[in-house]
């Protein structure tokens, strides 16, 4: 009787082991098939990208990611979907893909590239600094992040260059508004705009003019000490510029008259030289 019990248990054990092996074998086969499907979808995406069919390419890359989200192909496919949109100027779609990528794969090894592509997608939407302020701001945020968090990458180098251009754009906007308020004799808004250039965009080409405009406005409203402070700052940094001369003339009216007289004489002398040289023709 005991022998019969052991015999039954042995048969059950053998059946269980056999089924387990079949399941493992079937699982391995399914995984191999799935991996092949992912690679096939990814390859179709690459082929479509090369032929310029970016929408189909992005679709295939998304398909590759969905098929096997735990595989190494998933983050690559997500990035390639974003890049596909970017190549044909579908910037909003590219940004949406990249935002999703950064949210899902925050520790991926090529995260710096994702931020760079995001920054460029915003940057290339800038057409008019008066209208595209949000694109300018978004580009600056992402380029700044690259410089701060990935300083030793090739992307950071280009990001620094692009940030200089963006700051010039933002400073030009402030200058445009500052001049407008100055013309309308709205002194406080004008001061705020010119101060913004000095405080936030002091490395741009608009710094010299902003300093002069502050000298001009403060002098007009009777705050001569403030005007003199900015005139000294302009003198210290940009003594050879035309804006320094104009600021100097705000305090010294005789200097202004003298400069006009010198300029008039120069024009007259130039005219005489021109007539003299014509004798040899």
């Amino acid at each position: 009787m005991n022998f019969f019990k052991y015999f039954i248990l042995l048969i059950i054990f053998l059946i269980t082991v056999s089924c387990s092996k079949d399941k493992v074998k079937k699982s391995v086969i399914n995984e191999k098939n799935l991996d092949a499907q992912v690679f096939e979808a990814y390859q179709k995406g690459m082929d479509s990208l090369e032929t310029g069919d970016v929408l189909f390419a992005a679709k295939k890359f998304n398909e590759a990611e969905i098929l096997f989200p735990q595989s190494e192909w998933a983050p690559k496919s997500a990035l390639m979907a974003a890049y596909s949109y970017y190549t044909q100027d579908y910037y909003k779609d590219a940004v949406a893909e990249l935002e999703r990528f950064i949210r899902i794969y925050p520790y991926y090894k090529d995260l710096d590239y994702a931020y760079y592509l995001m920054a460029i997608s915003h940057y290339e939407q800038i057409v008019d600094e008066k209208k595209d302020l949000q694109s300018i701001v978004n580009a600056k945020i992402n380029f700044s992040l690259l410089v701060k968090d990935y300083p030793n990458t090739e992307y950071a180098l280009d990001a620094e260059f692009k940030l200089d251009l963006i700051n010039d754009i933002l400073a030009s906007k402030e200058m445009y508004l500052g001049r407008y308020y100055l013309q309308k004799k709205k002194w406080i808004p004008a001061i705020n705009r010119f101060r913004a250039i000095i405080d936030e965009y002091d490395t741009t080409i608009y710094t010299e003019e902003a300093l002069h405009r502050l000298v001009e406005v403060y002098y007009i409203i009777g705050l001569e000490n403030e005007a003199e402070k900015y005139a000294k700052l302009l003198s210290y940094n940009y003594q050879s510029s035309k804006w320094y001369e104009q600021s100097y003339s705000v305090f010294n009216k005789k200097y202004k008259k003298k400069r006009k007289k010198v300029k008039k004489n120069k024009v007259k002398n130039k005219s005489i030289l021109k007539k003299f040289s014509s004798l040899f023709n």
Side-chain angles (χ1 to χ4, degrees):
M1 191 70 178
N2 287 335
F3 174 78
F4 181 74
K5 281 184 179 179
Y6 290 132
F7 180 72
I8 294 296
L9 288 171
L10 180 62
I11 290 172
I12 292 170
F13 174 75
L14 290 172
I15 290 169
T16 305
V17 170
S18 177
C19 289
S20 177
K21 283 183 178 178
D22 287 342
K23 283 181 182 177
V24 170
K25 188 176 180 182
K26 191 175 181 181
S27 177
V28 170
I29 290 169
N30 285 340
E31 189 172 320
K32 283 183 179 178
N33 288 339
L34 189 57
D35 200 45
Q37 288 178 52
V38 171
F39 180 75
E40 184 183 353
Y42 185 89
Q43 195 56 52
K44 281 184 180 178
M46 291 298 292
D47 293 340
S48 299
L49 183 60
E50 287 176 10
T51 58
D53 190 356
V54 298
L55 296 178
F56 186 74
K59 180 183 175 183
K60 297 311 288 184
F61 288 129
N62 286 144
E63 186 181 311
E65 181 189 7
I66 293 166
L67 277 168
F68 200 173
Q70 290 81 27
S71 74
E72 63 176 310
W73 293 99
K76 287 180 183 178
S77 299
L79 262 184
M80 287 307 298
Y83 178 73
S84 299
Y85 286 126
Y86 167 77
T87 58
Q88 292 295 323
D89 302 345
Y90 291 102
Y91 296 122
K92 289 183 180 178
D93 294 296
V95 167
E97 283 287 340
L98 289 163
E99 286 175 345
R100 186 180 66 83
F101 175 88
I102 291 166
R103 188 173 63 254
I104 297 173
Y105 309 106
Y107 304 108
Y108 187 61
K109 61 184 179 67
D110 293 324
L111 197 62
D112 54 346
Y113 175 73
Y115 279 115
Y116 179 73
L117 192 57
M118 174 96 79
I120 287 291
S121 294
H122 285 300
Y123 182 80
E124 292 188 5
Q125 291 183 73
I126 301 169
V127 178
D128 184 342
E129 67 272 12
K130 299 179 188 71
K131 298 176 183 176
D132 302 323
L133 183 60
Q134 194 56 55
S135 295
I136 297 169
V137 170
N138 288 336
K140 185 172 183 178
I141 289 169
N142 285 282
F143 281 131
S144 298
L145 186 146
L146 275 167
V147 171
K148 182 182 171 220
D149 293 348
Y150 305 96
N152 300 318
T153 63
E154 59 183 313
Y155 307 120
L157 191 63
D158 189 53
E160 287 179 352
F161 174 71
K162 292 291 195 305
L163 280 171
D164 286 340
L165 296 177
I166 288 170
N167 284 335
D168 275 341
I169 292 169
L170 291 171
S172 73
K173 186 175 184 297
E174 296 292 344
M175 181 57 70
Y176 172 81
L177 291 170
R179 288 172 187 156
Y180 170 79
Y181 289 130
L182 181 61
Q183 188 180 11
K184 295 294 181 181
K185 297 182 180 180
K186 295 183 177 181
W187 312 123
I188 301 304
I191 288 170
N192 290 338
R193 296 297 179 174
F194 298 135
R195 279 291 305 272
I197 295 171
I198 305 304
D199 295 339
E200 299 173 35
Y201 312 112
D202 60 326
T203 59
T204 67
I205 58 174
Y206 296 95
T207 306
E208 299 171 42
E209 184 181 351
L211 285 168
H212 165 67
R213 297 299 180 189
L214 286 168
V215 172
E216 196 175 27
V217 176
Y218 279 123
Y219 190 84
I220 289 169
I221 63 178
L223 298 175
E224 292 189 24
N225 288 337
E226 284 295 308
E228 191 175 346
K229 181 179 79 175
Y230 285 104
K232 285 178 180 178
L233 191 59
L234 185 57
S235 170
Y236 182 79
N237 292 284
Y238 308 101
Q239 194 165 3
S240 60
S241 80
K242 66 175 183 178
W243 299 111
Y244 167 71
E245 290 189 357
Q246 290 189 36
S247 289
Y248 187 83
S249 68
V250 168
F251 294 99
N252 191 335
K253 304 300 180 186
K254 290 181 181 179
Y255 172 82
K256 192 172 183 179
K257 289 177 183 177
K258 187 178 177 183
R259 288 291 300 168
K260 283 183 178 178
K261 188 176 180 182
V262 169
K263 192 174 181 181
K264 189 176 179 182
N265 287 337
K266 279 186 178 178
V267 171
K268 187 178 178 182
N269 291 339
K270 201 171 184 181
S271 178
I272 292 168
L273 287 171
K274 190 174 180 182
K275 286 179 182 178
F276 181 74
S277 64
S278 67
L279 296 174
F280 295 93
N281 293 335

